[in-house]
Amino acid sequence: MPQSVIVLGGGIIGLSCAFEAARRGMRVTLIEPAALGGQASGAAAGMLAPYSENTEQPDSFFQLCLHSLRHFPEWIAAVEELSGLSAEWVRSGSINVFMHEADLLPIQSRLRWQNEWGADAQLIDAAQLRMLEPRLAQSAVAGIFTPHESHVYAPKLVTALEAACLKLGVTILLQAGEVDEVAVHPSGGVTVRAKALEQPVHADRVVVSAGAWSGAYERWFGLSIPVHPIRGQICSFEHPGGEVRHMVFSSQAYWVGKRNNRLVCGASEDVAGFQTHVTERGIGRLIRSSNKLFPFLEGKETAHRWAGLRPATRDGQPLLGKVEGMPAVIMAAGHYRNGILLSPVTAFIVADLLEGKPSELPLQSFDPNRFTPIPYRRRFV
């Protein structure tokens, strides 16, 4: 009989892990307390931009992101083929814009190491910048053009993954409410009980991918899971196709043009617990940045404003791997603002762990056991 797996959490990471595990022949049940893709996945611009978002050094996290980017073509193809739906993957390339000459001083070092890792990035002057993005402000002095970065439409990727999972036979339990207990049995197997489930769910293994709520599970595993929510506020403007052609990054915000004629601008971040309402202060900062970089947006009303909770860890690294002493439990959480980008590689790593295969990548930096254990909490029932 094939291995059975429970996936806790129905964001982009949970759906991706369920999809890959099912693709490898496992029997998968996904349990989501509310609705699919409702938090970090919903507050995402869908950027696949490891070079633009990791500018300091090629550390293990950058390498994880780059590995995932390189697997995106076949990953998207598999999801779209099975689901029959498009995730609107747009290979736009990206431009990092600089407003002052002084900003260019550290750029050569960044270009050097990123190009050694396949960025094919180039420094462009003001004239080249406006050839690529004619609507940019005249005050922009230069930019970095990175051709291999791209983006997907996150809500459609969530929908496509859901459909693909269902095609593969994944059982998806929505509106399950708060999980009351995760019972890990010393003889093997896991039982999950939740408020709105008619009966407990049993499986051989469990994958915790509960986003900003992952810390709630530490009481069952005797493990510190320091994942906390960061509210990401985001807005969009009406955007006729082609007005902004690339993903554009500045030191203050980013802009991504979508096929639904919306220009997404994000993200204002703050610590607000589990509150998901938007604030005038947060959205106001995005509007001011938009007016400065794209003068054609001056005075234009936002078409939509929203927020979601991004799961951040204490050291900024995700939790990927088995829980020490509890081989039935795998963590896949704390991806912060990179959940969309890291969905393929996380799914591959989790599926390899479920199959007992060694990972292609070094995972020491992402070891879920790296924080202080909680020895007084029960570990088995």
Side-chain angles (χ1 to χ4, degrees):
M1 182 176 292
Q3 181 178 190
S4 57
V5 180
I6 296 170
V7 175
L8 296 173
I12 198 73
I13 294 297
L15 282 165
S16 297
C17 291
F19 170 71
E20 185 62 23
R23 235 187 0 157
R24 300 194 192 186
M26 300 176 210
R27 293 183 294 115
V28 182
T29 300
L30 184 147
I31 300 175
E32 164 55 43
L36 296 176
Q39 287 303 327
S41 305
M47 298 182 299
L48 313 177
Y51 300 108
S52 293
E53 298 212 285
N54 298 275
T55 61
E56 299 298 324
Q57 59 181 331
D59 58 11
S60 56
F61 182 70
F62 167 79
Q63 293 176 50
L64 185 74
C65 291
L66 182 58
H67 188 81
S68 203
L69 176 68
R70 289 173 174 170
H71 281 281
F72 238 91
E74 66 263 31
W75 170 256
I76 285 286
V79 172
E80 292 183 337
E81 181 179 0
L82 259 174
S83 67
L85 300 172
S86 170
E88 294 189 4
W89 179 34
V90 178
R91 282 161 279 194
S92 60
S94 66
I95 298 175
N96 285 241
V97 177
F98 304 103
M99 308 301 287
H100 307 286
E101 294 290 345
D103 296 334
L104 303 179
L105 295 177
I107 294 305
Q108 290 303 325
S109 172
R110 171 183 166 181
L111 282 173
R112 190 178 307 112
W113 77 256
Q114 288 194 344
N115 283 337
E116 288 174 355
W117 287 86
D120 293 331
Q122 55 183 300
L123 183 64
I124 55 177
D125 61 23
Q128 294 169 309
L129 191 58
R130 267 168 280 282
M131 284 184 64
L132 292 173
E133 285 293 345
R135 306 303 297 270
L136 277 171
Q138 294 296 314
S139 53
V141 300
I144 293 178
F145 173 56
T146 307
H148 303 312
E149 296 190 320
S150 56
H151 60 94
V152 297
Y153 187 41
K156 288 197 173 182
L157 179 56
V158 167
T159 301
L161 275 166
E162 177 188 11
C165 283
L166 292 172
K167 283 276 184 70
L168 290 167
V170 175
T171 299
I172 298 178
L173 304 177
L174 302 180
Q175 305 297 332
E178 182 182 345
V179 171
D180 295 316
E181 183 181 35
V182 181
V184 182
H185 309 293
S187 58
V190 179
T191 300
V192 174
R193 296 178 176 85
K195 291 188 181 303
L197 295 180
E198 292 183 1
Q199 55 189 11
V201 180
H202 307 280
D204 300 316
R205 312 283 285 281
V206 65
V207 177
V208 179
S209 53
W213 286 263
S214 297
Y217 293 94
E218 65 182 18
R219 68 184 185 272
W220 305 114
F221 307 143
L223 178 77
S224 178
I225 306 176
V227 177
H228 60 278
I230 300 293
R231 179 171 59 184
Q233 299 187 55
I234 198 165
C235 65
S236 68
F237 302 89
E238 292 290 343
H239 168 256
E243 272 192 330
V244 177
R245 303 169 182 175
H246 306 79
M247 291 187 296
V248 176
F249 294 84
S250 77
S251 60
Q252 300 299 313
Y254 59 75
W255 296 263
V256 186
K258 297 297 183 180
R259 288 179 178 169
N260 63 350
N261 293 326
R262 293 291 174 89
L263 179 65
V264 174
C265 176
S268 176
E269 297 184 340
D270 63 321
V271 178
F274 289 91
Q275 297 183 54
T276 57
H277 64 275
V278 298
T279 65
E280 287 300 324
R281 180 178 181 182
I283 298 298
R285 186 173 73 79
L286 299 177
I287 292 172
R288 289 190 297 274
S289 298
S290 297
N291 294 343
K292 181 178 180 181
L293 200 64
F294 290 107
F296 76 92
L297 294 174
E298 183 82 45
K300 201 168 187 177
E301 292 293 326
T302 57
H304 188 37
R305 304 176 177 197
W306 68 103
L309 300 178
R310 292 168 165 171
T313 61
R314 192 187 308 155
D315 61 3
Q317 306 291 321
L319 307 173
L320 283 175
K322 295 179 181 179
V323 172
E324 185 176 348
M326 304 182 79
V329 181
I330 294 172
M331 294 295 305
H335 293 72
Y336 190 34
R337 54 184 296 159
N338 291 281
I340 304 292
L341 171 59
L342 289 172
S343 54
V345 73
T346 300
F348 298 154
I349 288 169
V350 167
D352 285 345
L353 289 170
L354 289 168
E355 292 184 328
K357 296 178 180 177
S359 173
E360 294 180 41
L361 295 167
L363 301 179
Q364 292 90 335
S365 298
F366 318 120
D367 185 354
N369 308 288
R370 65 187 183 271
F371 299 106
T372 305
I374 309 173
Y376 58 85
R377 302 275 172 85
R378 64 173 169 168
R379 295 173 62 82
F380 294 102
V381 296

